[in-house]
Structures are given as structure tokens and as C-alpha cells.
């Protein structure tokens, strides 16, 4: 299900040099995969994108982690893992960068995801082994995207009182 079929190359793959130059810590990288699982995800969600990963840059190396990679993602059956950006150089990608976040906000999210690496991999032998990391990643992505709205709401409430 997760195997990318041969010849499943996108018509316009991302330029890896431009992608690396443009990404900032805390950006979410959306990926259009071509595996059977990716196709099912795109069909069910009615989206171009089947996968998301958080760009952490060199945060892993700075913290002395042995895991190489500039992205943190959650993979079915593997949990929360670090992968190199080159994994997606032949895929169509899009960068999501929420506005209104401070550098401290971005670093806090990166630190949280780094702390989740390898988590809950052996929880069960069944499907719930993937459930917790997927829920965690989903919750972090939802929180991350909603932070600017939450900050604006808190400022508005503060102005009213």
C-alpha cells in the first residue's frame, strides 16, 4: 500500500534546491504521493495532498539526535520518524507557513515534535500502534495552523476588557 509505483513521477516535481532554500523551521510540507494508500487518502479527503511533514531543518543535529533528517513525519507502522528532505524531491510539494507565529512559537513546535520521535511505536501489535502518533501529529498540525487565529482572538478579548 505504501510502495510508490514505478513511473509514478509527477509532471512537475519540486525543485529540491529551491525547496531547501525556501523552507523555514516549523513549515509544514504537503506532499502529493502516488502509492495506493496516498491515492486513497487523496480520494477520501478530496485533496491534492496525501501527506504532511514538519520541517525542522538542522534541529535534530543541534540536539545531538542520531536520526538524520530535516523533516519529522508520522508513517503508518513506523510512528513518528525523522526523514531527509530528499525523500520528497521527486514529489509535488507545497509549503504551508501559518502567519502570525513568532520564532519562539515555531521553535516550541519543533521542540515538541523532536521530543515525539520514536514515540508509541510498540504500543500494540494492532492498528492502535499507529493511532497515537497519528493523533499527536494531527493535533500538533491543527494547533499550529490555528495559532494565529487563537492569538488574534486573545488580543481581541484583551482589548475588550
Amino acid at each position: 500500500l505504501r510502495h510508490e509505483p514505478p513511473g509514478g513521477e509527477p509532471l512537475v516535481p519540486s525543485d529540491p534546491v529551491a525547496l531547501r532554500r525556501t523552507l523555514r523551521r516549523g513549515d509544514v510540507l504537503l506532499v502529493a504521493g502516488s502509492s495506493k494508500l496516498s491515492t486513497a487518502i487523496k480520494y477520501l479527503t478530496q485533496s491534492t495532498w496525501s501527506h504532511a511533514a514538519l520541517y525542522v531543518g538542522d534541529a535534530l543535529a543541534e540536539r545531538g539526535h542520531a536520526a538524520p533528517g530535516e523533516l519529522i513525519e508520522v508513517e503508518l507502522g513506523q510512528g513518528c520518524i525523522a526523514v531527509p528532505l530528499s525523500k520528497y524531491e521527486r514529489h509535488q510539494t507545497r509549503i504551508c507557513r501559518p502567519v502570525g507565529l513568532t520564532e519562539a512559537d515555531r521553535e516550541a513546535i519543533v521542540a515538541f515534535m523532536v521530543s515525539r520521535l520514536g514515540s508509541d511505536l510498540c504500543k500494540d501489535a494492532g492498528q492502535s500502534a499507529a493511532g497515537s502518533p497519528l493523533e499527536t501529529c494531527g493535533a500538533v498540525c491543527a494547533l499550529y495552523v490555528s495559532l494565529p487565529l487563537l492569538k488574534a482572538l486573545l488580543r481581541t478579548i484583551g482589548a475588550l476588557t
Side-chain angles (χ1 to χ4, degrees):
L1 284 176
R2 294 181 293 170
H3 175 70
E4 298 286 337
E9 305 291 327
L11 296 175
V12 183
S14 298
D15 174 0
V17 174
L19 184 62
R20 185 176 303 280
R21 186 177 55 240
T22 306
L23 281 166
R24 290 178 36 201
R25 273 192 192 182
D27 285 348
V28 175
L29 184 68
L30 299 179
V31 181
S34 58
S35 69
K36 289 180 182 178
L37 181 59
S38 294
T39 302
I41 290 168
K42 290 189 284 187
Y43 175 77
L44 293 171
T45 61
Q46 296 295 297
S47 173
T48 304
W49 314 106
S50 60
H51 190 69
L54 183 73
Y55 183 74
V56 298
D58 56 1
L60 296 172
E62 288 174 2
R63 290 169 172 84
H65 278 269
E70 299 106 336
L71 297 169
I72 295 180
E73 64 182 13
V74 177
E75 281 284 342
L76 190 62
Q78 297 179 42
C80 190
I81 59 172
V83 296
L85 184 59
S86 61
K87 176 180 180 179
Y88 296 117
E89 68 184 14
R90 306 289 298 160
H91 291 77
Q92 184 180 4
T93 58
R94 176 167 291 164
I95 299 170
C96 289
R97 182 176 294 153
V99 295
L101 296 182
T102 66
E103 201 59 36
D105 295 334
R106 290 172 163 277
E107 288 301 321
I109 291 167
V110 166
F112 175 79
M113 287 306 291
V114 168
S115 75
R116 299 299 298 165
L117 280 174
S119 64
D120 298 318
L121 293 179
C122 301
K123 191 173 189 178
D124 286 327
Q127 293 179 10
S128 61
S132 185
L134 288 171
E135 289 170 10
T136 299
C137 188
V140 167
C141 287
L143 175 65
Y144 185 63
V145 171
S146 65
L147 273 177
L149 178 63
L150 182 60
K151 283 183 165 186
L153 180 63
L154 291 174
R155 278 194 299 272
T156 303
I157 292 170
L160 294 175
T161 58

